[in-house]
Every structure is written in structure tokens, then in C-alpha cells.
Amino acid sequence: MQNRKKTDQTISQTDLMKITDIQFGMLRVPLKTPFKTALRTVDRVEDIIVMVHTDCGHIGYGEAPATAVITGDTHGSIVDAIRHYISPRVIGQDIANLNRITQLIQGSMEKNSSAKAAVEIAVYDLWGQLYQAPLYKLLGGGDPVITTDITISVDYIDKMVADSISAVDRGFESLKIKVGKDIGVDIERVKAIYAAVEDRALLRLDANQGWTAKQAVYALQTLEDAGVKLELVEQPVKARDLEGMRYVTERVHTPVMADESVFGPMEVIELIRLRAADIINIKLMKTGGISNAVRIADIAGMHGIECMIGCMLESSISVAAAVHLAVAKADVITKVDLDGPSLCQYNPVDGGVNFNESEISVSDAPGLGIREIRGLEKI
Ligand code: MG
């Protein structure tokens, strides 16, 4: 029987682990509170789960959300891209040839970064299973415990202050404050939150492209003059406006981080060349998976630029992959924004990464260590 499960002990390194099929599921998990940014409001995680089957019974798991306003990927486009463009190229490939497979995935079509990410994550999961090691060890090792911030959605000032205090009480030491709606109110929002949590948490602002370059400089200089200390400001201006990013970076003391402006390694090189930002936010759904995320971390490291690892509204499958990468590249990835699982009402995944509020720890289970996904709907 093809799906017969071999025990881990029976796979030796000379065994082949060939990809035989890719199947899909839909995972829906309600959020504790609606996720609101300058671009959108979302009240649940609703992600495509990818299961890459192999001839020895091992299954690799991947995940991708629809993030139409950021990456352009929708549920339909993710499934179609994998079914008709990626799957035909990777079926029959041997997991041991990881670099060949990631090239086949990346070269399958233009864009569609989330679809590519979902399959790459599953392939890296299998790569870890093949060599019976947790993914972070194969990526270079590291201390398997990291600390994440949590997102405070954009809302009425009183609500944002209450959410911030509650997050600090739950042990979060970094808050990612969503702004970018109305510049005057944004300044008041940040002042109020800073006054409420001042010595107890670092504040990261995420404007999600909501300001013009001049508004961003005005807002940040006003906050700086008022004595508000910010760890960083993220994507103050439109994604394509690299000149605007540079304009802001040159004029404020607060470090500027690029998120929607940079997807892959080529864009990172351009951003560094232009000196358009101080920090880069790596997300697997933008890079198309782990292979390019590793490249970005290495490029940034060579230039002495720090990175954040972030996620979209994702559950603990694709976020687990990001955690493994963050552990292995901790020298460069110094900031962690992997709060997807802690925004969910429950964790549907029984796996090798443990999400406990701000503390994320990784077990030594092979690959991503995923044992069970509850409530997965067949599609
Ligand atoms: Mg962002």
C-alpha cells in the first residue's frame, strides 16, 4: 500500500523520498479580536493547507493565506498555481535534492509568492523528516526559543490603550501598533499607548502604507519631539514608493523598516543600494518560501542590516517554518513578529513548535514536527 507509514527508524539516508502527490485542505480558525490595519479588517484565519505526499508515507505540511491586497494571492489562485504549475514540476522529485526542488518551484511561474511558499514549507518539512532533524538544525542550528511581539489593531484610542495594557499584562514586551489611518489621530494613539505602557514594552509602529512621505516625517518628528521612543516604524509609505521610504529614512531618528516594499532578494539589494530603509521585514509569503528568505537574511547580514521575521494571518504550520528560520538566522533576524497563532482563539495544530503567548519554543521533532491538524476541511 502506497500510503503505508514507515517508522522514522526505518528510513536510512540512502533511502529515496520521492514526491508522489500534493493535496489541499482549508483551515479556518476564528481570531480572538478582529485584525484591523490601514488596508483591511479580518476576523479569522482562513488558509490553504498543502500536504505533500511521498512514496515512503511521510507527509510534508505547508500553508498559505489569501492576502490579495499585499501579495495578490487568493485561495483560488494559490490552489490553481500549485495544481497546474508547481505540482507537475515537483512530482517525482527526490526530497534529498532540496536545491533542485526549490529552483523548480521558484521557476514555475512569475509572482504567486504565497503558493510557492506553501509548497516550499512542506518540502523543507520533508527534508527535515528525511534526515530526522528539526528544520532549524539543518538550517544552521541555534537556541530554539524566541520571543515575539503582538499586534495591536488600529481602533479607537481607548480600545488600543486597553488592548496594549492587556498585552503587556500577558507578558508581551514588544507591541506592534497598527496606525496609518488619520495622521492627527495616529499621533494621539501612539502618545496615549506610550504613556500607558512606557517602561514596560517597546513600541513598533506599522503604518501599512497609510501615510505620505511628508506625513510620515511630520508624525515621527512630532512623536520624537514629544519624547516618545519608538523601536521602529514599518512601511510608512506606499509599497512602490522607494524614494518616499528613503525620504523618511533620511529625516527621522526612528529606524525605518520596509515590509510591503520588499518581497524577494533582488528588491532587498535595490533597497540597500538606495539606503531606503534601516531594517527589512522578511515574510515567507512574500519571499516565496524559505530558500529566498535565507538569501535575504544572508544579504542583509553582509551589509550589517537587521531583519524582522513576520507573518500574515497564518496558523502554526507556516509560522512554525518562520520560527525555525528565525532560530537558525538569529544573528540577523533580531526582531520577531510571529503573532499569528496567538491571535487565534485556539491552536488547531499539534506540532513541534510551542506557542505560549510571547514565548515560542521548538522541539527536536524532525522537520516541522506536525502531528495533527484538527478541523481541516477537504477541498
Ligand atoms: Mg507590516
Side-chain angles (χ1 to χ4, degrees), residues 26-33 43-47 49 63 170 313-317 319 339-351 353-357 372-377:
M26 176 70 82
L27 186 64
R28 293 189 171 93
V29 190
L31 298 177
K32 287 174 185 161
T33 51
D43 59 12
R44 61 180 174 180
V45 164
E46 199 169 23
D47 288 5
I49 305 302
E63 172 183 2
R170 283 160 60 197
L313 280 170
E314 299 164 43
S315 83
S316 44
I317 299 169
V319 176
D339 62 353
S342 57
L343 297 174
C344 291
Q345 283 184 17
Y346 55 87
N347 185 356
V349 181
D350 186 10
V353 176
N354 183 38
F355 296 87
N356 180 19
E357 297 286 20
E372 190 190 354
I373 305 169
R374 288 174 287 273
L376 194 59
E377 300 163 31

Side-chain angles (χ1 to χ4, degrees), residues 70 176 178 206-208 234-235 257 259-260 281 283 337:
I70 300 166
K176 187 177 225 192
K178 293 289 190 184
D206 189 354
N208 284 109
E234 178 172 351
Q235 198 63 50
M257 181 165 73
D259 182 6
E260 291 94 321
N281 191 344
K283 290 178 180 165
D337 174 31

Side-chain angles (χ1 to χ4, degrees), residues 10 172 224-225 228 233-234 269 294 298 306 316 321 369:
T10 59
F172 288 95
E224 286 168 1
D225 290 347
V228 174
V233 62
E234 178 172 351
I269 290 170
V294 167
D298 290 344
E306 289 178 62
S316 44

Side-chain angles (χ1 to χ4, degrees), residues 142-162:
D143 181 4
V145 183
I146 56 176
T147 305
T148 182
D149 63 14
I150 191 165
T151 301
I152 305 297
S153 283
V154 62
D155 216 311
Y156 300 109
I157 292 178
D158 290 352
K159 168 86 168 106
M160 292 183 77
V161 168

